[in-house]
Each structure stands twice: as C-alpha cells, then as structure tokens.
Amino acid sequence: MAQFFQIHPDNPQTRLVTQAVEIIRKGGLVAYPTDSAYAVGCHIGDKMALDRIRAMRQLDKHHNFTLMCRDLSELATYARVDNRVFRLLKNHTPGPYTFILEATAEVPRRLMHPKRKTIGLRVPDNKIALALMEELGEPLMTSSLLLPGDEFPLSDPYDIRDTLEHHVELVIDGGYCGVEPTTVIDLTGDVPELIRQGKGDFSDFAAN
C-alpha cells in the first residue's frame, strides 16, 4: 500500500521531503509532481526499481529514460555538452523540456538508448521535484506517468494513489500540475530536432 504525502508546492516541508528521499534510497518508486504532469521516479543506481517502472509502463528496451537534474552543472556531469548546446540549455532551464544528449560514462548503461548511447535529461521548474533532488544529492531516474492504453498521463494524486497503490511506495500530492508532457528535443546533431511537441515552446530552438 502506497504512502501518501501532501507536500506544499511553494514551501515543501523538509520533514516530508526527507522521508520521501529515504523511500527512494531504499528502492522505492515515488510518484511526484513536475512542471509538466506527474512522473514516477527511482534511485539512479537501482536496477530492480527501473525494471518495475518498465513493467508498470510496458516499456521496451529502446525507451529513452530521463534523468531529472537539479541544475545545469549536474546535467553536464551526465551529458556531453559543447558551448552551443550549453547556451541553449542555459536559456531554457528550468522548464518543461527533455533534452536528448550524448551520455557520459557517469550514466548507467541500462539507462541509455542501447544503440545511440543517449540519455534524456531535464531540469524541472517545480519546487517539490527540486527539493527531492537537493535532498537526494543526485539526479532522479524518471519516467512520465503515462500508463498503457492511456492518452494522457495521470494527473490527479488521488487517482494516482487509487491506480498505483500496489505499484509504488509513495504518492506525493503537490497539487494539480497539468497533463501536457515535456517537449522533447534531440540536441545530439548539428541542428536541434523536435522529437515530441509538448508544453515547452520549440521556436527558439528552431532558430538556432
């Protein structure tokens, strides 16, 4: 049975954030709010937790997972970024974007795209998500809460608890944060490539 924490979206309670991170460190799955719909996260080094997310969402081995990062300096640890790409990232983080980048050796191989060796990275504009990663001290391995057969991600924390109470260890109620996913942009080539149009505006990237 999943625990249920109500965390204030503007002033996250330190005690609850600490308890949530303890659950993550012990291998738990946590449903939490971001700036573009709810997501499910686990510890970056936990293969069993990752496999549980794959099973829950029925994802194949080619799915690009996302590392949710606190800031650009953390993002640069896990991805190879040149000056042009860094400027683009600096101008659009935090925000509702997922960037496909070439992974560094810091990224566990099982999180990379098996052929391209890429990883999805993002810095969310959400105080609860940022507080979790600040307490954790490293990125959160993340996937959107889009279940098989659904058109939109789960968005109501009470619905998430009812639907996933036997699949996750914790649901964080951080209020409503929408159902629109991130805009996914591939920055591995010479020109930014739009992979999925979501909440973030792609027009600035198209001009670069």
Side-chain angles (χ1 to χ4, degrees):
M1 185 73 71
Q3 295 189 64
F4 191 78
F5 292 175
Q6 290 182 308
I7 297 183
H8 197 283
D10 295 318
N11 298 292
Q13 302 94 312
T14 302
R15 176 180 58 85
L16 293 178
V17 170
T18 300
Q19 290 178 20
V21 168
E22 287 174 1
I23 291 170
I24 294 168
R25 288 197 175 117
K26 291 177 180 176
L29 301 187
V30 176
Y32 69 100
T34 77
D35 51 350
S36 64
Y38 274 77
V40 59
C42 70
H43 192 273
I44 186 174
D46 197 318
K47 181 180 184 300
M48 189 176 297
L50 181 72
D51 289 342
R52 288 174 58 203
I53 292 176
R54 283 190 193 276
M56 183 173 71
R57 290 202 52 207
Q58 296 181 17
L59 301 171
D60 64 27
K61 65 180 182 180
H62 296 291
H63 181 76
N64 252 318
F65 281 98
T66 298
L67 292 183
M68 196 77 81
C69 298
R70 285 174 288 179
D71 52 35
L72 272 186
S73 63
E74 192 169 69
L75 186 149
T77 301
Y78 295 90
R80 303 184 199 285
V81 181
D82 62 21
N83 289 337
R84 177 185 65 88
V85 170
F86 186 84
R87 283 194 299 271
L88 284 173
L89 296 174
K90 188 175 181 180
N91 290 335
H92 295 86
T93 56
Y97 297 93
T98 299
F99 301 105
I100 306 299
L101 296 159
E102 183 183 351
T104 67
E106 296 295 321
V107 178
R109 187 173 292 273
R110 61 181 171 273
L111 299 183
M112 300 181 195
H113 188 284
K115 291 183 178 178
R116 300 183 62 211
K117 301 296 184 271
T118 54
I119 184 69
L121 292 162
R122 91 180 198 86
V123 181
D125 189 11
N126 180 280
K127 291 182 179 179
I128 294 174
L130 292 171
L132 288 174
M133 289 178 291
E134 188 66 39
E135 176 67 22
L136 187 61
E138 59 189 339
L140 197 56
M141 207 304 297
T142 289
S143 183
S144 58
L145 266 179
L146 183 62
L147 298 182
D150 288 354
E151 186 178 355
F152 298 104
L154 294 173
S155 60
D156 184 298
Y158 291 92
D159 287 344
I160 294 171
R161 180 175 63 177
D162 291 344
T163 304
L164 299 177
E165 63 179 353
H166 299 297
H167 297 276
V168 302
E169 278 64 43
L170 172 64
V171 176
I172 293 176
D173 176 4
Y176 181 74
C177 54
V179 296
E180 198 170 6
T182 58
T183 293
V184 180
I185 300 172
D186 189 334
L187 294 177
T188 60
D190 294 333
V191 178
E193 180 184 355
L194 179 64
I195 304 299
R196 179 184 72 197
Q197 180 62 62
K199 191 173 179 180
D201 185 2
F202 180 68
S203 61
D204 285 351
F205 293 89
N208 282 274

